[in-house]
Amino acid sequence: MAETKNGDVYDLVVSQKWVEVQTVLYEENVSTRKPEKDLSVSRKTALASYKDGECLRLAILKGAPWQTVKCILRCMSMLAQERLEARNGGNTPNHMAMMTEGPPSVEVIQKGLNWMYTTNKPNKEGDYPSHIAIKRENDDVPKEMWKALGDADKRDKSGKSAVFYAVERGKSVETIQALLSPCYTIPRVWSLEMITKDVKLEDCETILHHVVLHSRECSDPERVAQIIIDRYDDAVNLAWNWKRPLELAKQNEGIVDDGLLNLLQRRTPRRYAYCACTVM
């Protein structure tokens, strides 16, 4: 193979020539992970153009296939990934995979976990990859992605996991259901600030309360609430600010979706439903 010039790999990534990138990188001395001092001069030149992680960042953002991402990862050190995160607001490769223009690649996330040194942690803003995914303009994240990310139960600085933003932003019922799937206990808003103020987890807002408060923004509040109630047996009985979901809905009657209000009235135990009737 002809010797590569400095910047060749980077230019190929910019041009999205994925096969050519793999061809340049997938030579025996690179794929066998030989120490850099043992690499040929041409390989050293090729490595120099992406050792700081820029090629990995661009490849992920441009939606490169897993084979290309894998070839780049083979040649990166832990230090290179740490520098990449430091320059990009603490965003890991998983965060970057959620920022692509097209649908994120489930394969890159699933298989990349075995290669990427720093995964499943927040960026400098406190967001996990699932938060980034939910804040996408398009609701085009495959449902398999949430399981692959494995951070659906992680909270950001405000104490919210991704499912709370999914409700606020009107994401599909399927997305909300997928985010609830790994949560064995009902999601609550619980931040570090609350912990320092000795606020107990059991006194915090639940996802069902959140659906009530954001029933206008939620894509299908009645169906979402039904899923929550069916999944968490005590969801309708849990109080936040001394109010159960039905009491909160009664307090905001006229704003809350009628179907959601009727569902809460049917599913709330009679002793609590009676208390809700006294709410002004």
Side-chain angles (χ1 to χ4, degrees), residues 60-64 96-109 136 138-143 145:
I60 292 176
L61 291 178
K62 290 179 176 291
M96 297 172 195
M98 298 301 107
M99 301 175 186
T100 57
E101 293 182 5
S105 170
V106 178
E107 186 179 26
V108 168
I109 296 296
R136 291 171 62 92
N138 300 321
D139 195 4
D140 58 356
V141 178
K143 63 180 181 180
M145 182 65 76

mmCIF file of all heavy atoms in Angstrom, residues 60-64 96-109 136 138-143 145:
data_model
loop_
_atom_site.group_PDB
_atom_site.id
_atom_site.type_symbol
_atom_site.label_atom_id
_atom_site.label_comp_id
_atom_site.label_asym_id
_atom_site.label_seq_id
_atom_site.Cartn_x
_atom_site.Cartn_y
_atom_site.Cartn_z
ATOM 1 N N ILE A 60 -18.361 9.152 14.435
ATOM 2 C CA ILE A 60 -19.604 8.863 15.155
ATOM 3 C C ILE A 60 -20.680 9.872 14.790
ATOM 4 O O ILE A 60 -21.834 9.516 14.516
ATOM 5 C CB ILE A 60 -19.355 8.845 16.674
ATOM 6 C CG1 ILE A 60 -18.486 7.632 17.043
ATOM 7 C CG2 ILE A 60 -20.662 8.786 17.439
ATOM 8 C CD1 ILE A 60 -18.096 7.576 18.502
ATOM 9 N N LEU A 61 -20.317 11.161 14.766
ATOM 10 C CA LEU A 61 -21.301 12.208 14.445
ATOM 11 C C LEU A 61 -21.840 12.074 13.025
ATOM 12 O O LEU A 61 -22.989 12.418 12.750
ATOM 13 C CB LEU A 61 -20.688 13.597 14.638
ATOM 14 C CG LEU A 61 -20.391 14.012 16.083
ATOM 15 C CD1 LEU A 61 -19.740 15.389 16.112
ATOM 16 C CD2 LEU A 61 -21.671 14.030 16.915
ATOM 17 N N LYS A 62 -21.014 11.563 12.132
ATOM 18 C CA LYS A 62 -21.441 11.411 10.748
ATOM 19 C C LYS A 62 -22.104 10.059 10.473
ATOM 20 O O LYS A 62 -22.421 9.726 9.337
ATOM 21 C CB LYS A 62 -20.248 11.617 9.800
ATOM 22 C CG LYS A 62 -19.770 13.064 9.741
ATOM 23 C CD LYS A 62 -18.574 13.214 8.821
ATOM 24 C CE LYS A 62 -18.164 14.680 8.693
ATOM 25 N NZ LYS A 62 -19.145 15.478 7.951
ATOM 26 N N GLY A 63 -22.300 9.281 11.542
ATOM 27 C CA GLY A 63 -23.021 8.028 11.393
ATOM 28 C C GLY A 63 -22.226 6.919 10.742
ATOM 29 O O GLY A 63 -22.786 6.099 9.994
ATOM 30 N N ALA A 64 -20.932 6.843 11.001
ATOM 31 C CA ALA A 64 -20.103 5.787 10.412
ATOM 32 C C ALA A 64 -20.565 4.413 10.888
ATOM 33 O O ALA A 64 -21.028 4.264 12.018
ATOM 34 C CB ALA A 64 -18.638 5.994 10.796
ATOM 35 N N MET A 96 -21.918 11.221 21.912
ATOM 36 C CA MET A 96 -21.772 11.669 20.528
ATOM 37 C C MET A 96 -22.645 10.854 19.579
ATOM 38 O O MET A 96 -23.184 11.382 18.600
ATOM 39 C CB MET A 96 -20.307 11.582 20.105
ATOM 40 C CG MET A 96 -19.395 12.500 20.904
ATOM 41 S SD MET A 96 -17.655 12.210 20.536
ATOM 42 C CE MET A 96 -16.876 13.069 21.899
ATOM 43 N N ALA A 97 -22.784 9.572 19.882
ATOM 44 C CA ALA A 97 -23.615 8.713 19.031
ATOM 45 C C ALA A 97 -25.068 9.166 19.043
ATOM 46 O O ALA A 97 -25.818 8.899 18.103
ATOM 47 C CB ALA A 97 -23.510 7.267 19.497
ATOM 48 N N MET A 98 -25.486 9.868 20.099
ATOM 49 C CA MET A 98 -26.861 10.371 20.185
ATOM 50 C C MET A 98 -27.038 11.714 19.475
ATOM 51 O O MET A 98 -28.139 12.244 19.406
ATOM 52 C CB MET A 98 -27.270 10.549 21.661
ATOM 53 C CG MET A 98 -27.273 9.279 22.476
ATOM 54 S SD MET A 98 -28.380 8.017 21.814
ATOM 55 C CE MET A 98 -27.200 6.872 21.123
ATOM 56 N N MET A 99 -25.941 12.278 18.975
ATOM 57 C CA MET A 99 -25.992 13.594 18.340
ATOM 58 C C MET A 99 -25.951 13.528 16.822
ATOM 59 O O MET A 99 -25.846 14.553 16.151
ATOM 60 C CB MET A 99 -24.816 14.453 18.829
ATOM 61 C CG MET A 99 -24.784 14.678 20.327
ATOM 62 S SD MET A 99 -23.285 15.567 20.824
ATOM 63 C CE MET A 99 -23.444 15.530 22.617
ATOM 64 N N THR A 100 -26.025 12.338 16.250
ATOM 65 C CA THR A 100 -25.969 12.196 14.795
ATOM 66 C C THR A 100 -27.205 12.803 14.153
ATOM 67 O O THR A 100 -28.271 12.889 14.773
ATOM 68 C CB THR A 100 -25.882 10.713 14.397
ATOM 69 O OG1 THR A 100 -27.016 10.026 14.948
ATOM 70 C CG2 THR A 100 -24.609 10.082 14.931
ATOM 71 N N GLU A 101 -27.065 13.225 12.891
ATOM 72 C CA GLU A 101 -28.196 13.807 12.177
ATOM 73 C C GLU A 101 -29.266 12.748 11.897
ATOM 74 O O GLU A 101 -30.457 13.021 11.984
ATOM 75 C CB GLU A 101 -27.720 14.441 10.871
ATOM 76 C CG GLU A 101 -26.831 15.666 11.093
ATOM 77 C CD GLU A 101 -26.406 16.301 9.789
ATOM 78 O OE1 GLU A 101 -26.882 15.845 8.734
ATOM 79 O OE2 GLU A 101 -25.618 17.258 9.839
ATOM 80 N N GLY A 102 -28.835 11.551 11.542
ATOM 81 C CA GLY A 102 -29.775 10.466 11.298
ATOM 82 C C GLY A 102 -30.015 9.666 12.564
ATOM 83 O O GLY A 102 -29.506 10.010 13.634
ATOM 84 N N PRO A 103 -30.798 8.581 12.474
ATOM 85 C CA PRO A 103 -31.043 7.737 13.643
ATOM 86 C C PRO A 103 -29.741 7.174 14.201
ATOM 87 O O PRO A 103 -28.866 6.755 13.445
ATOM 88 C CB PRO A 103 -31.932 6.608 13.083
ATOM 89 C CG PRO A 103 -32.563 7.198 11.860
ATOM 90 C CD PRO A 103 -31.541 8.131 11.284
ATOM 91 N N PRO A 104 -29.564 7.179 15.527
ATOM 92 C CA PRO A 104 -28.347 6.633 16.134
ATOM 93 C C PRO A 104 -28.190 5.146 15.818
ATOM 94 O O PRO A 104 -29.169 4.436 15.612
ATOM 95 C CB PRO A 104 -28.577 6.845 17.640
ATOM 96 C CG PRO A 104 -29.638 7.885 17.727
ATOM 97 C CD PRO A 104 -30.495 7.697 16.527
ATOM 98 N N SER A 105 -26.933 4.700 15.779
ATOM 99 C CA SER A 105 -26.647 3.306 15.458
ATOM 100 C C SER A 105 -26.644 2.448 16.713
ATOM 101 O O SER A 105 -25.816 2.633 17.608
ATOM 102 C CB SER A 105 -25.285 3.192 14.765
ATOM 103 O OG SER A 105 -24.890 1.840 14.659
ATOM 104 N N VAL A 106 -27.580 1.512 16.800
ATOM 105 C CA VAL A 106 -27.642 0.604 17.935
ATOM 106 C C VAL A 106 -26.380 -0.261 17.977
ATOM 107 O O VAL A 106 -25.827 -0.535 19.040
ATOM 108 C CB VAL A 106 -28.894 -0.301 17.855
ATOM 109 C CG1 VAL A 106 -28.919 -1.284 19.016
ATOM 110 C CG2 VAL A 106 -30.157 0.551 17.858
ATOM 111 N N GLU A 107 -25.900 -0.656 16.813
ATOM 112 C CA GLU A 107 -24.726 -1.532 16.734
ATOM 113 C C GLU A 107 -23.492 -0.858 17.311
ATOM 114 O O GLU A 107 -22.704 -1.479 18.025
ATOM 115 C CB GLU A 107 -24.470 -1.945 15.288
ATOM 116 C CG GLU A 107 -23.362 -2.978 15.151
ATOM 117 C CD GLU A 107 -23.124 -3.407 13.723
ATOM 118 O OE1 GLU A 107 -23.425 -2.613 12.795
ATOM 119 O OE2 GLU A 107 -22.630 -4.528 13.513
ATOM 120 N N VAL A 108 -23.300 0.434 17.016
ATOM 121 C CA VAL A 108 -22.140 1.163 17.545
ATOM 122 C C VAL A 108 -22.179 1.186 19.062
ATOM 123 O O VAL A 108 -21.152 1.007 19.728
ATOM 124 C CB VAL A 108 -22.090 2.596 16.972
ATOM 125 C CG1 VAL A 108 -21.077 3.443 17.733
ATOM 126 C CG2 VAL A 108 -21.731 2.561 15.494
ATOM 127 N N ILE A 109 -23.363 1.390 19.634
ATOM 128 C CA ILE A 109 -23.492 1.425 21.095
ATOM 129 C C ILE A 109 -23.285 0.033 21.682
ATOM 130 O O ILE A 109 -22.513 -0.154 22.622
ATOM 131 C CB ILE A 109 -24.875 1.966 21.513
ATOM 132 C CG1 ILE A 109 -25.040 3.425 21.058
ATOM 133 C CG2 ILE A 109 -25.057 1.865 23.021
ATOM 134 C CD1 ILE A 109 -24.076 4.388 21.694
ATOM 135 N N ARG A 136 -33.256 15.051 21.395
ATOM 136 C CA ARG A 136 -33.196 15.155 19.933
ATOM 137 C C ARG A 136 -34.508 15.730 19.412
ATOM 138 O O ARG A 136 -35.574 15.498 19.967
ATOM 139 C CB ARG A 136 -32.979 13.771 19.307
ATOM 140 C CG ARG A 136 -31.624 13.170 19.557
ATOM 141 C CD ARG A 136 -31.596 11.727 19.088
ATOM 142 N NE ARG A 136 -31.840 11.607 17.658
ATOM 143 C CZ ARG A 136 -30.905 11.584 16.722
ATOM 144 N NH1 ARG A 136 -29.643 11.671 17.076
ATOM 145 N NH2 ARG A 136 -31.212 11.461 15.456
ATOM 146 N N ASN A 138 -35.944 14.881 16.600
ATOM 147 C CA ASN A 138 -36.735 13.813 15.997
ATOM 148 C C ASN A 138 -36.871 12.636 16.956
ATOM 149 O O ASN A 138 -35.937 12.287 17.659
ATOM 150 C CB ASN A 138 -36.079 13.325 14.695
ATOM 151 C CG ASN A 138 -35.947 14.438 13.682
ATOM 152 O OD1 ASN A 138 -36.846 15.268 13.549
ATOM 153 N ND2 ASN A 138 -34.842 14.474 12.978
ATOM 154 N N ASP A 139 -38.065 12.046 16.960
ATOM 155 C CA ASP A 139 -38.307 10.873 17.803
ATOM 156 C C ASP A 139 -37.943 9.626 17.012
ATOM 157 O O ASP A 139 -38.780 8.798 16.681
ATOM 158 C CB ASP A 139 -39.775 10.840 18.220
ATOM 159 C CG ASP A 139 -40.027 9.881 19.374
ATOM 160 O OD1 ASP A 139 -39.043 9.304 19.883
ATOM 161 O OD2 ASP A 139 -41.195 9.719 19.762
ATOM 162 N N ASP A 140 -36.641 9.508 16.686
ATOM 163 C CA ASP A 140 -36.206 8.446 15.778
ATOM 164 C C ASP A 140 -35.187 7.504 16.418
ATOM 165 O O ASP A 140 -34.454 6.819 15.723
ATOM 166 C CB ASP A 140 -35.602 9.053 14.509
ATOM 167 C CG ASP A 140 -34.411 9.967 14.799
ATOM 168 O OD1 ASP A 140 -34.103 10.182 15.991
ATOM 169 O OD2 ASP A 140 -33.800 10.468 13.847
ATOM 170 N N VAL A 141 -35.156 7.474 17.746
ATOM 171 C CA VAL A 141 -34.215 6.586 18.434
ATOM 172 C C VAL A 141 -34.837 5.195 18.526
ATOM 173 O O VAL A 141 -35.920 5.027 19.099
ATOM 174 C CB VAL A 141 -33.891 7.106 19.850
ATOM 175 C CG1 VAL A 141 -32.945 6.159 20.569
ATOM 176 C CG2 VAL A 141 -33.305 8.509 19.782
ATOM 177 N N PRO A 142 -34.195 4.171 17.967
ATOM 178 C CA PRO A 142 -34.756 2.813 18.028
ATOM 179 C C PRO A 142 -34.939 2.374 19.475
ATOM 180 O O PRO A 142 -34.124 2.688 20.344
ATOM 181 C CB PRO A 142 -33.686 1.962 17.329
ATOM 182 C CG PRO A 142 -32.885 2.924 16.517
ATOM 183 C CD PRO A 142 -32.897 4.218 17.270
ATOM 184 N N LYS A 143 -36.018 1.633 19.751
ATOM 185 C CA LYS A 143 -36.295 1.233 21.134
ATOM 186 C C LYS A 143 -35.191 0.340 21.700
ATOM 187 O O LYS A 143 -34.983 0.297 22.918
ATOM 188 C CB LYS A 143 -37.655 0.542 21.219
ATOM 189 C CG LYS A 143 -37.774 -0.744 20.434
ATOM 190 C CD LYS A 143 -39.173 -1.338 20.586
ATOM 191 C CE LYS A 143 -39.321 -2.644 19.826
ATOM 192 N NZ LYS A 143 -40.683 -3.227 19.973
ATOM 193 N N MET A 145 -32.203 0.894 21.500
ATOM 194 C CA MET A 145 -31.116 1.771 21.939
ATOM 195 C C MET A 145 -31.122 1.967 23.455
ATOM 196 O O MET A 145 -30.070 2.027 24.095
ATOM 197 C CB MET A 145 -31.222 3.126 21.245
ATOM 198 C CG MET A 145 -30.106 4.101 21.592
ATOM 199 S SD MET A 145 -28.516 3.499 21.019
ATOM 200 C CE MET A 145 -28.684 3.840 19.260
#
